[in-house]
Amino acid sequence: MQATASPQVSGLLRRAKLRHFLRTRRERISPEEVGLVNVERRRTPGLRREEVAALAGVGVSWYTWLEQGRDINVSEEIVHAISNALRLDGSERRCFFRLAGLNPPRRADGERRDGVFPHMRALVESWSSSPAYLTDRYGRIELANGSARSLFQLNASGDNCLEKFFTDADTRAKYPDTEGVARGLVANFRTQSIRFPDDPEFGRIAERLRRASPKFAELWDRHEVDDPYQNVRKFALPSTGVIVFDRVQMRMPEYSESALTVYIAQPRAAAAMRARAFAGVHPGAA
């Protein structure tokens, strides 16, 4: 059995990484870049600790303790201030939040769509015979290929997989194992709400579904959690009969709020042909 690090050891490792992260970011910025006059010869490159502290508006001793990896409390406001002083980009800022023991801030929609979405769209569409889609932290569809739109009857981006299952009888009818799918969806949503404990939208969605679906309310009150990365899904479709898929879910390290889900038909040969058949059932699906 693989041993896991204790919380104390994990904290020490995290703070050691934070120490190296802050030092290297500080050393790469010249005084001239931030408007400081470099009037004397420096033994080390970049900014001094007291200069970073002044730019961020925090105490020199406090910043020194932070960079030394001491166990001190850090607020989101302070992390933002130091991030601005060190001119961190979006990826670096999120890394800083994690190393400081905080949840990273949410990305602006434009940041992710302009950078990653064109590549993700091409990737999702490349699985032409396998349903594939990208969801946000709440389970809302952000991207979906033609097979996924046909299988799940998706009309537009923004459809929520969880809400669609519990509020649409036709969607539930496609699953022979309705009970198992229901439990898995709710447990995964519960897990996501724990990953983002300060986001009130999870509570709003849950309350809306509690009113709309007694089954959801029952499962939600169980407080079950699950974060499946691979499982099996069966679909019963009038045009093709029962199709069995390996359902694989992946999270992108750089964009962990989104999940890429792909349904791979099994057994490989015959089921893949049947999967391609249903992809053409609704060729005009939006």
Side-chain angles (χ1 to χ4, degrees):
M1 183 173 64
Q2 185 179 3
T4 57
S6 69
Q8 182 178 5
V9 172
S10 298
L12 289 173
L13 292 173
R14 175 177 56 78
R15 292 194 296 274
K17 293 178 181 179
L18 175 60
R19 181 171 67 248
H20 294 296
F21 178 83
L22 290 176
R23 178 178 57 80
T24 55
R25 269 54 186 182
R26 172 171 59 84
E27 291 178 349
R28 75 180 181 182
I29 302 177
S30 69
E32 292 80 7
E33 287 182 79
V34 293
L36 298 176
V37 179
N38 190 12
V39 296
E40 60 184 70
R41 188 177 183 87
R42 297 185 178 225
R43 291 177 295 176
T44 58
L47 297 177
R48 294 167 173 158
R49 288 172 176 169
E50 58 267 27
E51 291 169 338
V52 174
L55 290 169
V58 300
V60 176
S61 296
W62 187 92
Y63 178 79
T64 300
W65 295 339
L66 180 67
E67 192 176 303
Q68 287 175 342
R70 298 195 189 187
D71 188 9
I72 58 177
N73 292 325
V74 185
S75 68
E76 291 187 7
E77 292 75 16
I78 292 297
V79 173
H80 277 302
I82 295 174
S83 296
N84 293 335
L86 295 175
R87 300 190 170 190
L88 302 184
D89 62 22
S91 298
E92 292 171 326
R93 190 177 296 251
R94 288 185 286 275
C95 182
F96 184 14
F97 265 80
R98 293 188 180 96
L99 291 175
L102 300 171
N103 286 324
R106 293 191 63 185
R107 293 173 185 78
D109 289 341
E111 176 189 350
R112 182 171 53 181
R113 292 182 182 276
D114 293 344
V116 167
F117 266 44
H119 304 287
M120 290 305 303
R121 187 180 300 278
L123 179 62
V124 168
E125 294 293 348
S126 69
W127 279 300
S128 58
S129 63
S130 297
Y133 54 81
L134 191 74
T135 51
D136 66 7
R137 61 165 69 176
Y138 313 109
R140 289 193 292 244
I141 299 291
E142 296 183 301
L143 294 172
N145 65 9
S147 295
R149 292 195 297 271
S150 177
L151 177 60
F152 299 107
Q153 289 295 281
L154 303 174
N155 297 315
S157 63
D159 282 344
N160 186 297
C161 297
L162 182 74
E163 294 188 75
K164 195 171 181 67
F165 180 89
F166 282 100
T167 60
D168 182 21
D170 290 338
T171 296
R172 291 193 301 276
K174 295 178 181 179
Y175 296 91
D177 181 21
T178 306
E179 179 70 20
V181 173
R183 287 187 61 186
L185 287 173
V186 176
N188 185 54
F189 188 72
R190 171 74 70 180
T191 300
Q192 281 291 91
S193 71
I194 294 172
R195 289 183 68 217
F196 304 99
D198 299 324
D199 188 341
E201 182 63 15
F202 287 98
R204 287 192 284 265
I205 294 173
E207 185 57 35
R208 187 162 63 243
L209 282 173
R210 284 178 63 89
R211 294 194 298 267
S213 169
K215 185 62 179 179
F216 175 87
E218 173 197 336
L219 294 172
W220 185 249
D221 289 342
R222 294 184 188 180
H223 289 263
E224 294 179 341
V225 293
D226 187 22
D227 200 2
Y229 290 98
Q230 183 171 357
N231 52 24
V232 175
R233 281 280 197 270
K234 293 182 179 180
F235 294 92
L237 304 175
S239 58
T240 58
V242 175
I243 302 179
V244 182
F245 288 94
D246 287 319
R247 178 182 179 273
V248 181
Q249 188 175 85
M250 299 163 278
R251 296 194 184 278
M252 298 172 290
E254 184 63 21
Y255 294 87
S256 59
E257 289 187 21
S258 295
L260 174 64
T261 303
V262 183
Y263 289 78
I264 305 170
Q266 57 166 252
R268 296 292 184 259
M273 292 178 63
R274 299 171 72 187
R276 281 194 292 271
F278 81 70
V281 173
H282 301 283

